[in-house]
Amino acid sequence: VMPILAVLTRIATETATGLKTDYGFKQTCSGRIPDFPIEKSAALIKWLGQSDDNAAEFMAPFGGLAGTDKTDGFRFSTRNDHIVHLRPSGNAPEMRIYCEAETARIARELFGSVRSEIIKFKMR
């Protein structure tokens, strides 16, 4: 019971901003590109996975590539501490995009920029 009370006491005495700062919580924005053909999703994922240079090229406009996790799509960490996760839907012709940043505004802007790049890829 004591650990729970300790957490509740901290929440009651801290502001949300203080907790966010202390624990590094990020703001998120997510969405999807509907009507994104499965073969285009596969082509994008294949291209990103072919070389680190391809992933770095794709992520260059979004803060540069700091790291990649290929679990369930591609999760990119940027040099400016943002996250971009691309995941083709497993049951629909759509691409899902998840972005994390220090503010909601930056997360939304990042999402919009990434979405635009993926749509350009779709048109190839």
Side-chain angles (χ1 to χ4, degrees):
V1 174
M2 290 305 288
I4 294 170
L5 290 175
V7 170
L8 291 174
T9 300
R10 174 90 193 268
I11 291 170
T13 59
E14 289 273 342
T15 64
T17 302
L19 291 171
K20 178 183 166 245
T21 302
D22 289 351
Y23 293 104
F25 297 134
K26 295 185 181 205
Q27 300 295 309
T28 63
C29 182
S30 63
R32 62 191 179 91
I33 302 172
D35 301 319
F36 197 89
I38 292 170
E39 58 274 0
K40 284 292 184 177
S41 293
L44 175 60
I45 296 302
K46 180 179 177 185
W47 180 78
L48 289 169
Q50 280 177 339
S51 75
D52 291 341
D53 290 341
N54 289 355
E57 177 186 331
F58 182 81
M59 290 304 296
F62 313 117
L65 183 63
T68 303
D69 178 349
K70 296 178 183 175
T71 305
D72 195 25
F74 272 85
R75 180 181 167 97
F76 300 108
S77 302
T78 67
R79 290 190 189 128
N80 53 3
D81 203 30
H82 298 159
I83 301 290
V84 174
H85 188 170
L86 307 177
R87 190 173 76 77
S89 172
N91 59 1
E94 62 186 31
M95 176 66 74
R96 295 181 180 158
I97 306 165
Y98 308 90
C99 296
E100 299 177 17
E102 63 273 14
T103 68
R105 180 186 58 79
I106 293 172
R108 281 191 308 271
E109 289 171 358
L110 180 60
F111 171 82
S113 298
V114 169
R115 186 178 188 280
S116 293
E117 279 302 308
I118 293 173
I119 288 172
K120 287 180 194 173
F121 187 89
K122 176 184 170 184
M123 298 305 168
R124 289 185 193 176

